[in-house]
Amino acid sequence: MSHPLLERHRPLLDQALATIATRGYWSAFAESPSPKAYGEEAPEAGRAAFEAHLGKAFELDQPGQCGWHTDETSPYGVALDVRYPVCDPQALVAAAQAAMPAWQALGAEGRVGICLEVLQRLNRQSFEIAHAVMMTSGQGWMMAFQAGGPHAQDRGLEAVAYAWREMSFIPAQATWEKPQGKHPALVMQKHYEIVGRGVGVVIGCATFPTWNTYPGLFAALATGNPVLLKPHSNVVLPAAITVRTIRAVLAENGLDPNLVALCLPPDRKAAQALYTHPEVRSIDYTGSNTFGQWLIDHCRQAQVYAELAGVNSIVIDSTDDYQGMLRNLAFTLSLYSGQMCTTSQALVVPAGGIETDEGHKSFEQLGEDLAGAIDKFLSKPEVAQAVLGAIQSDDTLARIDAAGSGAMGRVVLAPRSLEYAEFPRARVRTPALLACEADEAGHYAQEQFGPISFLVRARDTDAALALVEDLTRRHGALTLAVYSSREAVIEAATRVSWRAAVALSINLTGGVFVNQSAAFSDFHGTGGNPAANASYADSAFVANRFRVVQRRRHP
Amino acid sequence: MSHPLLERHRPLLDQALATIATRGYWSAFAESPSPKAYGEEAPEAGRAAFEAHLGKAFELDQPGQCGWHTDETSPYGVALDVRYPVCDPQALVAAAQAAMPAWQALGAEGRVGICLEVLQRLNRQSFEIAHAVMMTSGQGWMMAFQAGGPHAQDRGLEAVAYAWREMSFIPAQATWEKPQGKHPALVMQKHYEIVGRGVGVVIGCATFPTWNTYPGLFAALATGNPVLLKPHSNVVLPAAITVRTIRAVLAENGLDPNLVALCLPPDRKAAQALYTHPEVRSIDYTGSNTFGQWLIDHCRQAQVYAELAGVNSIVIDSTDDYQGMLRNLAFTLSLYSGQMCTTSQALVVPAGGIETDEGHKSFEQLGEDLAGAIDKFLSKPEVAQAVLGAIQSDDTLARIDAAGSGAMGRVVLAPRSLEYAEFPRARVRTPALLACEADEAGHYAQEQFGPISFLVRARDTDAALALVEDLTRRHGALTLAVYSSREAVIEAATRVSWRAAVALSINLTGGVFVNQSAAFSDFHGTGGNPAANASYADSAFVANRFRVVQRRRHP
């Protein structure tokens, strides 16, 4: 019943299963891009593999090809010039469906074994993928390596572990024997088949092309579904590399590689026809509310797992480590120029200021000190470049300009352009910090994606808590933080987090940041507020991706 | 961390957990209405308890009461005259929400303990509930006892077991310790809180007022949600008894009884306002496609778990037990006058007839023999009365008349009215068996709820299998059966069952019937075809009814 690849990777799976139950620290894949973890050759080989893609056609041998996609751009201003196959989505769906029965017949053991093998292969490609993620998303190198490589692989493995756990509860067969008093028992032999729902479409985003893609990709695959991976049209290479690796592993194992394909529809109409295709039964999506809501409204034939925009908040009531808090916030607001769905946007502060280990700080003083902390943190160019990365989209650039102009609130810290010697055309911006009143919701109560944060003045801490609860319930959030040296406030914030269904970080003053989420331990999104209808990862993320079809007969 | 009621009922829960994993035969609650199982006093006490409700107001002490509901009717023609509280749904929602935090604070242990206690109490009320189910739904006595009592309780327990299993994977807390090389490790203390989604509404049907209600009711409750139970307006008493028992158990345990309420909205507008209420976060529904689709389309704020209409099919290719097959089919088509969502409607037969252990039987001969088997089975009045029960709704009566008129196909067996000495005003009908051609889909390809079945003539067995696959994929089905003495046909039917995601019964010729589904072993519905988007019960039925909200801080 088992599968050689499952046997080979069984220890990895077992450790993942143990960790999702105990939720302590564990990472399956080394997050350090060190030769010790990846081998002396890996950095150079990865760079060479990345560079070998540039200026070329990325051949995938997929059905229905009708052109080439060439829209990719780099926030670092580097010419990529990779051409990707544009295929008729209907042909991809048909081919995916044709590949599905053999994938079903492989059983949970075989499917999970293949997924684990794919993850191992992807891990060995971490340097290549890191360059691809960095150059397309604009992430700094270290984040591109970690979030694009091992952390994304960890989230993929996590999804596989959840899928395995749920599927492993389904016995292949059972003997049902019902006593009938003096008469012979009624006996039925029953079989239970795990059947995927049908073609899954996984729609990637421009900022985390692997981290936000792998959970849905591997959850859908492991549970018996083909997957069409539709990357953001400007950020294709990480997805293309991933798809090629999966197709290679499938072919090596005698499976139809068309089970997984890169999907770049020729136009908007073809894309919409794909998403509403009756055989597309699941859609995983990360991105804007507008399009996410379109998917939810129109793709009624599919389960839609959506991570949308939100407004992440912090309530700052008090602290006994003022400098630690400022340093922590400065890093959070700077990292990848705030282009994370987990970055805090609304920092809500009592009008009367806050008590700290350095005495009372007024609302204005806090703003000044936080601005100073950000400036100081980014004062060394090499730190700034490594942390900020580049701005992914024109829309974000425009928002930063608007923030700097004062149109969105009083400017506490103006955003600046930075030069980047290695990439002279890179578009790099430092964070904008604005201040406004609680009743100026027009400024802060919608997602301002990018390095734009607001110090929001609330009447007092109770009002601040009520404000963030309302914000989160109405607009959604993936993260909430509180700083307080009063347990009663932390308790109140905890109750807010329950009612608004948002993960809470308390008094982060060290090396953990509110926008970070660790696979196997932290749930990313709760699925319980408007920012996301699903979580990475939990049982609900996998359990409805397959169905069980039974048959019974007398023996 | 545990709860006294969980401790008390732990063996029951453990057995349920073991059985949903191995899926052999087990029933937690005795299905025989015998004194041995329920005590010498139980039958009479149950009857007395039932009769004590008649002609009276059913007091529940719920908030927002604004009138009395008096629409209940009995298919047996018995005057019930019970008055039920009509309450403002908004008041019920508000009260349910107020009851929710304490229910959350009880934790999975306490909630599951309470649910198990409720199920035990309901079990002791099985005779009372059986009379209520019989007199409102029209079921025969034995079915009313079994399906209305112990089998419904089994399905409720099954849902609790699934809910417990999923919730038990969530650790209350974890220590996350990430090594930092030579530096001190990063340490976070994390807590994980299971939070219900919000108010659940469970909408009952007229035919199985407990069996189809308990899974959603107990799944929602156990996972931390309040529940408003909205029974069919003609079939209220079984729900009212259930709600009273739950409220009593809640009150005895110091909990707010308004966590669970009977909900009979004053009018259609109030009902719709309830279903679309922003705080109603799940809806469990059994009933018509029209209203089910309305719920799915309009109640976007809620998870909708829907069991709708379908067209259940049987492919009859051949058999080596012709008489056994006929007897089995005669029972299936007669039981509760086909008023089961699992009753077969389309019996698809090759035009060339079938091979049997009694020689070749033509399509016409099979029809004649099946009609004869039904007639023979129902020839004794006491058997007919016990098996058929009474016709629940006027619509079904009208459909039976139409079937008898020949408007829906050639009449092979005409439906008849039967007298029922004990209940002279009972509306009792024998099954109608019709014949038509495969291309007369207008007759058989929509649910004809009630004792109306079609012998459908297909070109051959392959065509029959293709027809039922198409029927099931387009219109949905909860059951599929095949009769064949050829393994290749059974194999082909198995593949049909996978593609159409429908449970398959093979060669039932004895004491198991296609329309029966055993808790803990048989999945009721797959959730994978249009007849139902969920299954009783699996992980997907419970996993998305709660969310996990974490918090983390340095220790």
Side-chain angles (χ1 to χ4, degrees):
Chain A
M1 283 305 294
S2 194
H3 187 278
L5 288 175
L6 183 64
E7 291 313 303
R8 186 188 304 169
H9 302 300
R10 187 80 215 201
L12 189 71
L13 178 63
D14 285 342
Q15 185 64 51
L17 289 166
T19 312
I20 60 174
T22 53
R23 306 200 79 80
Y25 170 77
W26 181 61
S27 183
F29 302 105
E31 72 174 6
S32 165
S34 71
K36 216 171 81 185
Y38 288 90
E40 292 294 339
E41 317 295 315
E44 208 30 65
R47 173 185 292 276
F50 164 69
E51 287 176 350
H53 298 304
L54 304 184
K56 301 224 179 66
F58 199 104
E59 300 281 359
L60 281 168
D61 194 24
Q62 295 184 167
Q65 189 174 345
C66 54
W68 293 99
H69 176 93
T70 54
D71 285 355
E72 203 163 43
T73 54
S74 172
Y76 285 101
V78 170
L80 301 172
D81 295 330
V82 189
R83 301 184 297 286
Y84 304 96
V86 172
C87 301
D88 173 15
Q90 306 289 324
L92 294 179
V93 168
Q97 283 190 280
M100 195 175 164
W103 188 237
Q104 177 186 319
L106 208 57
E109 291 81 2
R111 290 192 301 269
V112 166
I114 299 267
C115 287
L116 296 172
E117 173 67 16
V118 166
L119 285 162
Q120 292 282 17
R121 299 277 190 101
L122 290 172
N123 180 246
R124 294 206 288 274
Q125 292 177 278
S126 291
F127 282 89
E128 176 188 359
I129 290 172
H131 286 290
V133 168
M134 178 179 178
M135 284 304 141
T136 53
S137 72
Q139 290 179 17
W141 165 252
M142 188 57 83
M143 173 183 266
F145 185 88
Q146 295 186 337
H151 291 176
Q153 296 145 19
D154 277 344
R155 284 287 180 195
L157 173 59
E158 181 186 57
V160 171
Y162 274 97
W164 170 260
R165 189 168 75 182
E166 287 306 331
M167 293 191 293
S168 68
F169 290 137
I170 311 298
Q173 46 184 304
T175 302
W176 182 87
E177 187 164 346
K178 182 177 181 177
Q180 298 292 295
K182 287 165 287 189
H183 302 286
L186 287 173
V187 185
M188 301 294 294
Q189 195 62 25
K190 303 186 181 186
H191 286 80
Y192 305 92
E193 181 84 5
I194 293 171
V195 175
R197 280 192 168 272
V199 178
V201 172
V202 178
I203 305 177
C205 65
T207 44
F208 288 90
T210 57
W211 197 93
N212 275 84
T213 294
Y214 285 5
L217 167 66
F218 284 97
L221 263 185
T223 51
N225 305 282
V227 173
L228 303 184
L229 189 46
K230 156 71 179 77
H232 189 283
S233 60
N234 293 342
V235 180
V236 180
L237 189 53
I241 295 170
T242 301
V243 167
R244 180 181 275 171
T245 298
I246 298 175
R247 290 172 66 90
V249 172
L250 290 170
E252 284 167 29
N253 285 276
L255 292 157
D256 184 345
N258 290 329
L259 188 76
V260 175
L262 184 74
C263 183
L264 291 158
D267 52 40
R268 190 194 185 92
K269 202 176 140 200
Q272 294 193 346
L274 169 68
Y275 303 141
T276 56
H277 193 298
E279 300 301 334
V280 167
R281 307 308 298 273
S282 72
I283 297 177
D284 286 82
Y285 171 72
T286 307
S288 75
N289 286 15
T290 312
F291 186 54
Q293 205 52 53
W294 185 91
L295 291 170
I296 290 168
D297 287 344
H298 291 83
C299 306
R300 311 297 294 278
Q301 86 290 354
Q303 309 275 325
V304 178
Y305 301 85
E307 185 188 308
L308 308 174
V311 178
N312 304 308
S313 306
I314 304 181
V315 170
I316 304 179
D317 164 77
S318 51
T319 179
D320 50 17
D321 181 3
Y322 190 55
Q323 293 306 323
M325 178 183 85
L326 294 174
R327 276 194 307 269
N328 189 284
L329 291 175
F331 182 84
T332 290
L333 301 183
S334 301
L335 185 62
Y336 187 27
S337 290
Q339 298 170 102
M340 300 176 69
C341 49
T342 49
T343 302
S344 309
Q345 177 173 307
L347 287 64
V348 190
V349 182
I354 64 171
E355 300 305 318
T356 82
D357 56 322
E358 301 184 0
H360 182 84
K361 303 289 177 184
S362 70
F363 179 86
E364 284 70 21
Q365 183 69 48
L366 172 61
E368 211 169 289
D369 291 344
L370 181 54
I374 294 170
D375 260 346
K376 185 178 168 203
F377 175 59
L378 298 175
S379 58
K380 287 187 191 163
E382 65 275 19
V383 171
Q385 287 162 13
V387 170
L388 294 171
I391 301 300
Q392 208 287 319
S393 82
D394 294 341
D395 288 349
T396 302
L397 276 184
R399 268 192 301 273
I400 299 169
D401 287 346
S405 77
M408 294 159 68
R410 181 170 63 83
V411 178
V412 177
L413 177 67
R416 291 178 294 121
S417 292
L418 290 189
E419 296 296 311
Y420 201 146
E422 194 182 346
F423 302 105
R425 296 172 59 202
R427 39 202 214 180
V428 183
R429 298 290 184 279
T430 62
L433 184 62
L434 311 175
C436 63
E437 305 302 315
D439 59 10
E440 295 178 292
H443 292 329
Y444 64 83
Q446 57 176 307
E447 188 183 58
Q448 303 288 1
F449 194 74
I452 303 163
S453 308
F454 300 83
L455 284 163
V456 180
R457 192 197 318 256
R459 199 181 59 244
D460 53 23
T461 296
D462 285 350
L465 288 166
L467 190 154
V468 303
E469 178 171 352
D470 181 63
L471 259 186
T472 305
R473 291 174 66 106
R474 286 201 291 138
H475 302 286
L478 293 176
T479 62
L480 170 67
V482 63
Y483 288 90
S484 183
S485 39
R486 300 188 290 168
E487 277 307 315
V489 171
I490 292 170
E491 174 68 20
T494 298
R495 291 181 183 280
V496 166
S497 78
W498 293 344
R499 291 192 295 266
V502 61
L504 176 65
S505 293
I506 301 162
N507 291 335
L508 296 184
T509 51
V512 173
F513 304 92
V514 67
N515 49 350
Q516 292 177 330
S517 154
F520 310 107
S521 180
D522 291 322
F523 293 102
H524 175 74
T526 68
N529 71 51
N533 69 2
S535 177
Y536 301 160
D538 60 12
S539 297
F541 190 64
V542 301
N544 215 356
R545 295 181 191 259
F546 68 91
R547 302 284 74 208
V548 180
V549 179
Q550 68 172 70
R551 60 189 191 276
R552 57 183 186 179
R553 66 199 295 185
H554 295 292
Chain B
M1 283 301 296
S2 195
H3 188 278
L5 288 175
L6 182 65
E7 292 312 303
R8 185 188 304 170
H9 302 300
R10 186 80 215 202
L12 189 71
L13 177 62
D14 285 341
Q15 186 65 51
L17 289 167
T19 313
I20 59 174
T22 54
R23 307 200 78 81
Y25 170 78
W26 181 61
S27 184
F29 302 105
E31 71 173 7
S32 166
S34 72
K36 217 170 80 183
Y38 287 90
E40 293 293 340
E41 318 294 316
E44 211 29 68
R47 172 184 295 274
F50 164 70
E51 287 174 350
H53 298 304
L54 305 184
K56 302 225 179 68
F58 198 104
E59 301 281 1
L60 280 168
D61 194 23
Q62 296 182 166
Q65 189 172 347
C66 54
W68 293 97
H69 176 92
T70 56
D71 285 356
E72 202 164 44
T73 54
S74 172
Y76 285 102
V78 170
L80 301 172
D81 295 331
V82 190
R83 299 184 298 287
Y84 304 97
V86 171
C87 300
D88 173 14
Q90 306 290 324
L92 294 179
V93 168
Q97 283 189 279
M100 195 174 166
W103 189 236
Q104 175 187 319
L106 208 55
E109 292 80 3
R111 291 192 301 268
V112 166
I114 299 269
C115 287
L116 295 172
E117 174 67 16
V118 166
L119 285 163
Q120 292 282 19
R121 299 278 189 101
L122 291 172
N123 180 246
R124 296 206 287 273
Q125 292 177 278
S126 290
F127 282 89
E128 176 188 1
I129 291 171
H131 286 289
V133 169
M134 178 179 178
M135 284 304 143
T136 52
S137 72
Q139 291 180 16
W141 165 253
M142 188 56 83
M143 174 182 265
F145 184 87
Q146 295 185 338
H151 290 177
Q153 295 146 17
D154 277 343
R155 284 288 179 193
L157 174 57
E158 182 186 56
V160 171
Y162 275 96
W164 171 261
R165 189 168 75 182
E166 288 305 331
M167 293 190 294
S168 68
F169 290 138
I170 310 299
Q173 46 183 305
T175 303
W176 181 88
E177 187 164 345
K178 182 176 180 178
Q180 298 292 294
K182 286 164 287 188
H183 302 288
L186 287 173
V187 185
M188 301 294 296
Q189 195 62 25
K190 304 187 180 186
H191 285 80
Y192 305 92
E193 180 84 4
I194 293 172
V195 175
R197 279 193 168 274
V199 178
V201 173
V202 178
I203 305 176
C205 65
T207 45
F208 288 90
T210 57
W211 197 94
N212 275 85
T213 294
Y214 285 5
L217 167 65
F218 284 97
L221 263 186
T223 50
N225 305 284
V227 174
L228 303 184
L229 189 48
K230 155 72 181 74
H232 190 282
S233 60
N234 293 341
V235 180
V236 181
L237 189 52
I241 296 169
T242 301
V243 166
R244 180 181 277 174
T245 297
I246 298 175
R247 290 171 66 89
V249 173
L250 289 170
E252 284 167 29
N253 286 275
L255 292 157
D256 184 345
N258 290 330
L259 188 77
V260 175
L262 185 73
C263 183
L264 292 157
D267 53 40
R268 188 194 187 89
K269 202 176 141 200
Q272 294 193 345
L274 170 67
Y275 305 141
T276 55
H277 194 297
E279 300 301 334
V280 168
R281 307 307 300 271
S282 71
I283 297 178
D284 286 83
Y285 171 72
T286 308
S288 74
N289 286 15
T290 313
F291 186 54
Q293 203 54 53
W294 185 91
L295 291 170
I296 291 169
D297 287 344
H298 291 82
C299 307
R300 310 299 294 279
Q301 86 290 357
Q303 308 276 324
V304 178
Y305 302 86
E307 184 188 310
L308 309 172
V311 178
N312 303 308
S313 307
I314 305 181
V315 169
I316 305 179
D317 164 77
S318 52
T319 179
D320 50 16
D321 182 2
Y322 190 55
Q323 293 306 321
M325 177 182 85
L326 293 174
R327 278 194 305 270
N328 189 283
L329 291 175
F331 181 84
T332 290
L333 301 183
S334 301
L335 185 63
Y336 187 29
S337 290
Q339 297 171 105
M340 300 174 70
C341 48
T342 50
T343 303
S344 308
Q345 177 173 308
L347 288 64
V348 190
V349 182
I354 64 171
E355 301 304 320
T356 82
D357 56 321
E358 300 182 3
H360 182 83
K361 304 290 179 185
S362 71
F363 179 86
E364 285 70 22
Q365 184 67 50
L366 171 60
E368 211 169 286
D369 291 345
L370 181 54
I374 294 169
D375 260 347
K376 186 178 166 202
F377 174 60
L378 298 174
S379 58
K380 287 186 190 163
E382 66 276 20
V383 172
Q385 287 162 11
V387 171
L388 293 171
I391 301 299
Q392 208 285 320
S393 83
D394 294 340
D395 288 348
T396 303
L397 276 182
R399 267 193 301 273
I400 299 169
D401 287 346
S405 76
M408 293 159 68
R410 181 169 63 82
V411 177
V412 177
L413 177 68
R416 291 178 294 123
S417 292
L418 289 189
E419 296 295 311
Y420 201 148
E422 195 180 346
F423 302 105
R425 297 172 59 205
R427 41 200 209 182
V428 183
R429 297 292 185 278
T430 64
L433 184 62
L434 311 175
C436 64
E437 306 300 318
D439 60 10
E440 295 177 292
H443 292 329
Y444 65 83
Q446 56 176 303
E447 189 182 58
Q448 303 288 1
F449 194 73
I452 301 163
S453 308
F454 299 84
L455 286 161
V456 179
R457 192 196 319 256
R459 199 179 62 245
D460 53 22
T461 297
D462 285 350
L465 288 166
L467 190 154
V468 303
E469 179 171 351
D470 181 63
L471 259 184
T472 306
R473 290 174 66 106
R474 285 202 291 140
H475 302 286
L478 294 175
T479 63
L480 170 67
V482 63
Y483 288 91
S484 183
S485 38
R486 300 189 291 168
E487 278 305 317
V489 171
I490 292 170
E491 173 69 17
T494 298
R495 290 180 184 280
V496 165
S497 78
W498 293 345
R499 289 192 295 266
V502 60
L504 176 66
S505 292
I506 301 163
N507 291 334
L508 296 183
T509 53
V512 173
F513 305 93
V514 67
N515 49 349
Q516 293 177 331
S517 156
F520 310 108
S521 180
D522 291 322
F523 292 101
H524 175 74
T526 67
N529 71 52
N533 69 2
S535 177
Y536 300 162
D538 60 13
S539 297
F541 190 64
V542 301
N544 215 357
R545 294 180 191 261
F546 67 92
R547 303 282 75 208
V548 180
V549 179
Q550 67 171 70
R551 62 188 189 278
R552 57 183 185 177
R553 65 197 298 182
H554 295 292

